[in-house]
Amino acid sequence: MPYDLKEIAAISGMPGLYRLVRPTRAGVIVETLDERATRSVASARNKVSLLHEISIYTEDLDQTVPLTEVFDRIQQHYGADFPFTNKSDDRDLTKFMETIIPDYDRERVYMSDIKKLVTWYRLVSATLPYLAEEEATEEAPAEEAEAKTEKKAGTKASKATADDALSTAGVISSATETDEPTNPEAATEATAKSRGKKKSE
């Protein structure tokens, strides 16, 4: 996944994009997707639309293009030099859309949608890291290997702890069996009893 959009959302009544932080009783705490990362609370009445669940209509009624894939196409085509904004000429934005999704549905995808797409992409590309597919493929096995190593290390640590406990069982004396009792009064009482026993003998 080039751009991780799982926690990125558009919220009704609130401009821009937001990163979901954590839920609250009143709604959800979010932070703006910019350098300031300003936090606020989106109430339960606000509609939260996760970007990774949004798709673009195509001429095929049964086919849509996920926003994650659209962003990937834009990145691959324009790289870091993305020239469009929501104030670009409509004709240029139409050509841009035709380049990225040649078969997009002209009737159901409005110019306002294209401008929103451009605005969202600029925010995401300026804030989130882009991970190429080959890099993602390379990192996945590495993460799995690291997880296995940590799990194996944890198993060894647990086994070592268990072995230590078994190796000392019945060997290390309890406090009451040591030569130097930790309770002075108990030691005095034990000495007195011992002397009394010797006298009676």
Side-chain angles (χ1 to χ4, degrees):
M1 182 182 294
Y3 287 113
D4 188 358
L5 305 179
K6 291 180 181 178
E7 301 298 326
I8 308 303
I11 303 174
S12 63
M14 301 173 66
L17 294 176
Y18 297 83
R19 189 193 309 273
L20 304 184
V21 179
R22 64 176 180 273
T24 65
R25 293 181 180 179
V28 59
I29 297 177
V30 298
E31 62 181 23
T32 55
L33 196 66
D34 54 25
E35 295 179 354
R36 296 182 179 180
T38 305
R39 292 195 175 188
S40 59
V41 177
S43 69
R45 291 176 294 181
N46 294 104
K47 180 181 178 182
V48 177
S49 301
L50 294 172
L51 263 60
H52 79 280
E53 296 179 350
I54 298 176
S55 298
I56 304 296
Y57 291 120
T58 67
E59 294 175 350
D60 184 346
L61 298 179
D62 298 325
Q63 184 71 32
T64 60
V65 183
L67 203 58
T68 302
E69 182 178 338
V70 176
F71 283 3
D72 186 32
R73 293 183 186 183
I74 296 174
Q75 169 64 29
Q76 290 185 15
H77 188 83
Y78 294 98
D81 187 21
F82 185 64
F84 304 104
T85 69
N86 61 340
K87 295 182 180 180
S88 297
D89 187 83
D90 288 0
R91 289 171 295 182
D92 293 334
L93 291 176
T94 299
K95 290 180 181 179
F96 151 74
M97 200 66 181
E98 291 173 346
T99 301
I100 301 303
I101 311 177
D103 61 338
Y104 83 93
D105 193 324
R106 274 74 171 171
E107 294 183 358
R108 292 189 291 173
V109 178
Y110 304 108
M111 181 54 61
S112 59
D113 297 322
I114 299 176
K115 291 183 177 181
K116 186 181 296 183
L117 170 64
V118 168
T119 300
W120 286 357
Y121 177 78
R122 294 184 70 89
L123 286 172
V124 167
S125 61
T127 309
L128 301 182
Y130 177 80
L131 184 63
E133 290 185 4
E134 55 270 16
E135 293 178 357
T137 304
E138 291 175 359
E139 284 198 2
E143 291 177 356
E144 291 178 3
E146 184 177 352
K148 288 181 180 179
T149 302
E150 291 178 354
K151 184 177 180 181
K152 189 175 181 181
T155 303
K156 286 184 177 180
S158 300
K159 186 176 181 181
T161 303
D163 290 343
D164 288 344
L166 289 173
S167 65
T168 58
V171 177
I172 297 179
S173 303
S174 63
T176 56
E177 294 174 338
T178 56
D179 294 334
E180 297 181 1
T182 56
N183 187 340
E185 294 181 1
T188 303
E189 183 179 352
T191 303
K193 287 183 178 180
S194 178
R195 290 177 180 175
K197 185 177 181 181
K198 287 182 179 180
K199 288 181 179 181
S200 61
E201 291 175 351

